[in-house]
Amino acid sequence: QCPYGTQVEDAIYPVLQKLGNNINFNLNYIANDNGDGTFSALHGQPEVLGNIVQLCAMEYNPENYMSMIVCQNKDAKSIPDNWYQCAKENNLNVEKIKTCYEGDEGKQLHSASIKKTEEIGASGSPTIYLNGQSYQGGRTTIDFMRSICNIFSEAPTACSDIPEPKEVILTV
């Protein structure tokens, strides 16, 4: 439910679609594991439950889970309750997500995700790493596309139609 996190998810989604298997994308969540099977997050329990259902979607729909997440982001205040409709609209395996979300598996996935964010020291959303380096660039689709494509030694053809940055003269 973090507005900055959802902004990044929405902007990176078209990049993931264009680059496909040329990119290894990982999404993890910043929250607290209370050690007793419960979690807390900056935006409360709805955010925790949203994290869990999205992790379950990732687990059982690795090829298209982002379509559910972007759908949910259209009405982020309704997260997690909008997961079912978004999963269904985007042809995700609703039953497997539901079983995972309602059971212990979702909690285990959330604990593992939290550990990953803690290992890299992520404390604010979004914390972005690109090729192991902290990313401080822009947060638009074009910014992400340009930054990712610049990393390739031989860029995929999807990188060939990125518009050149505009030159701006600024006097302060």
Side-chain angles (χ1 to χ4, degrees), residues 31-41 45 48 52 107 110-111 114:
N32 297 308
D33 187 335
N34 299 326
D36 61 358
T38 65
F39 305 92
S40 57
Q45 200 59 24
V48 168
I52 292 171
K107 291 177 183 178
H110 199 224
S111 289
I114 291 169

Side-chain angles (χ1 to χ4, degrees), residues 1-6 43-47 51 73 76-80:
Q1 284 189 327
C2 173
Y4 304 114
T6 58
H43 298 95
Q45 200 59 24
E47 182 176 50
N51 294 350
N73 289 349
K77 290 181 181 177
S78 294
I79 294 172

Side-chain angles (χ1 to χ4, degrees), residues 54-156:
Q54 290 177 2
L55 286 160
C56 290
M58 289 178 216
E59 182 72 12
Y60 289 101
N61 303 269
E63 299 299 319
N64 63 338
Y65 69 89
M66 280 298 290
S67 61
M68 182 188 97
I69 292 173
V70 170
C71 173
Q72 285 186 284
N73 289 349
K74 290 176 185 170
D75 185 13
K77 290 181 181 177
S78 294
I79 294 172
D81 298 332
N82 59 357
W83 81 265
Y84 183 88
Q85 187 62 35
C86 286
K88 194 172 175 186
E89 284 175 17
N90 289 285
N91 300 314
L92 275 69
N93 190 326
V94 175
E95 288 308 312
K96 284 193 175 187
I97 295 171
K98 184 175 190 272
T99 300
C100 171
Y101 176 52
E102 293 176 352
D104 287 336
E105 183 180 15
K107 291 177 183 178
Q108 292 166 359
L109 291 171
H110 199 224
S111 289
S113 178
I114 291 169
K115 279 185 181 174
K116 289 176 187 174
T117 61
E118 289 173 347
E119 285 171 4
I120 62 167
S123 60
S125 175
T127 299
I128 304 168
Y129 283 89
L130 186 55
N131 231 23
Q133 302 295 315
S134 179
Y135 175 79
Q136 301 299 321
R139 295 181 183 171
T140 68
T141 298
I142 291 174
D143 291 327
F144 287 131
M145 191 74 176
R146 186 177 291 120
S147 296
I148 292 168
C149 286
N150 284 338
I151 291 174
F152 290 104
S153 56
E154 286 187 44

